[in-house]
Amino acid sequence: MSFGQGGGYGGPGGQGQGSGFGPPGSGGPAPDWSALADSAAAERRRKRRLLTIVGGALATVVIAGAVAAAVVTTSGGDDDPSSSASEDRISGAGSESGKGDPSFSSVAPPPDPKEFIGSADKDTAPLTVDSFFPNAKITVSGHTYERRATHSTRECASGASSKLGKILTANGCDRLLRATFTREGTAVTVGVAVFADEGPAARTAEQANGNLESLPGQGVPEFCRATACRLTSNTLGRYAYFTIAGYADGKAVTAEDGPTSEAVRDTGAYVYRRIMDRGREQALKSTEQ
């Protein structure tokens, strides 16, 4: 074996990088035990300093965490994080917040408007064309229509085709109110049939056959009498409502026709809102009594 400079301790027939000194009894120079002891002591002192530094860092993290927890805990008061503690700081109130039992308003919510349009017992507002069609002009979805004629009758069948008239009568229709609106050559009549309650109104809309009779007047001739027109039927509360739309010049309506589609949709939406407004007004009045 050889232990030359830069050599190491290797196995038989091998070579490797070593520590720079041979094993005991190899015949090499004796180790400097004093230097080794000083080196070991220095290493122990370095490790102690490292542990002290690491321990200090951990302590800092724990303390910072405790401060953060205190901030989170106190920022929202003793109860809900969204309690009035922060609101007091904004408003400048001096009273303690977030304490005691919660308080609730003693004012009851307003009744559901649909309760007041579901039966004649509660729906006591006047049944007139002005209460359903009060506007000389209406604008729905950016489309403006002019009201041309209105009509009210207790003989519901007189304002409908024979098929629809029979259905109205069989379900106990009490009144039929109609109005005609025009827009750029399009004419549409919308009718509201009044019943005692929701049941017959829903049955009428479901059984609907035939059509509402169009209502001429104020420059609008009879329309949709001997040509194809667009029809709809619907219901809300104790009301069934219908539309019929076509052209004042008698032109037939096709399945792809846009203006008549807009007319029945817009006037139907208008009547829906008028009926809901009727319910809201009566619900509001009930809370004032």
Side-chain angles (χ1 to χ4, degrees), residues 174-254:
D174 181 66
R175 191 184 303 268
L176 179 65
L177 306 106
R178 290 179 295 164
T180 292
F181 297 88
T182 60
R183 169 180 170 252
E184 299 176 355
T186 304
V188 54
T189 295
V190 56
V192 180
V194 185
F195 297 87
D197 54 45
E198 295 178 349
R203 285 194 300 271
T204 299
E206 183 180 357
Q207 298 168 359
N209 194 2
N211 58 272
L212 186 72
E213 194 87 348
S214 64
L215 180 66
Q218 295 186 17
V220 180
E222 290 185 350
F223 62 98
C224 291
R225 298 295 174 91
T227 187
C229 283
R230 195 175 300 277
L231 315 173
T232 67
S233 60
N234 215 321
T235 183
L236 176 62
R238 69 183 187 117
Y239 303 97
Y241 56 99
F242 309 87
T243 63
I244 180 168
Y247 291 97
D249 61 4
K251 182 177 68 173
V253 173
T254 65

Side-chain angles (χ1 to χ4, degrees), residues 27-259:
D32 186 347
W33 299 110
S34 177
L36 289 174
D38 291 342
S39 176
E43 179 65 16
R44 286 195 296 272
R45 287 194 298 272
R46 186 185 68 80
K47 288 182 178 180
R48 282 199 298 271
R49 285 197 303 271
L50 179 61
L51 288 173
T52 301
I53 294 171
V54 171
L58 289 174
T60 302
V61 171
V62 172
I63 293 171
V67 172
V71 171
V72 171
T73 301
T74 58
S75 65
D78 296 335
D79 299 317
D80 189 345
S82 60
S83 69
S84 56
S86 60
E87 296 172 2
D88 284 346
R89 287 195 295 273
I90 294 172
S91 64
S95 61
E96 187 177 6
S97 61
K99 305 288 186 180
D101 297 330
S103 59
F104 300 93
S105 172
S106 59
V107 179
D112 185 351
K114 290 185 178 180
E115 293 181 9
F116 292 83
I117 56 175
S119 69
D121 293 337
K122 282 196 170 184
D123 187 14
T124 58
L127 292 167
T128 65
V129 289
D130 288 336
S131 64
F132 285 92
F133 312 111
N135 308 107
K137 287 186 179 182
I138 63 172
T139 300
V140 184
S141 300
H143 307 140
T144 300
Y145 300 82
E146 292 187 48
R147 188 188 62 194
R148 296 294 188 177
T150 60
H151 185 260
S152 175
T153 180
R154 301 294 295 268
E155 299 293 332
C156 299
S158 67
S161 69
S162 60
K163 290 182 179 179
L164 182 58
K166 290 177 181 178
I167 296 170
L168 293 172
T169 301
N171 286 302
C173 178
D174 181 66
R175 191 184 303 268
L176 179 65
L177 306 106
R178 290 179 295 164
T180 292
F181 297 88
T182 60
R183 169 180 170 252
E184 299 176 355
T186 304
V188 54
T189 295
V190 56
V192 180
V194 185
F195 297 87
D197 54 45
E198 295 178 349
R203 285 194 300 271
T204 299
E206 183 180 357
Q207 298 168 359
N209 194 2
N211 58 272
L212 186 72
E213 194 87 348
S214 64
L215 180 66
Q218 295 186 17
V220 180
E222 290 185 350
F223 62 98
C224 291
R225 298 295 174 91
T227 187
C229 283
R230 195 175 300 277
L231 315 173
T232 67
S233 60
N234 215 321
T235 183
L236 176 62
R238 69 183 187 117
Y239 303 97
Y241 56 99
F242 309 87
T243 63
I244 180 168
Y247 291 97
D249 61 4
K251 182 177 68 173
V253 173
T254 65
E256 297 78 19
D257 188 86

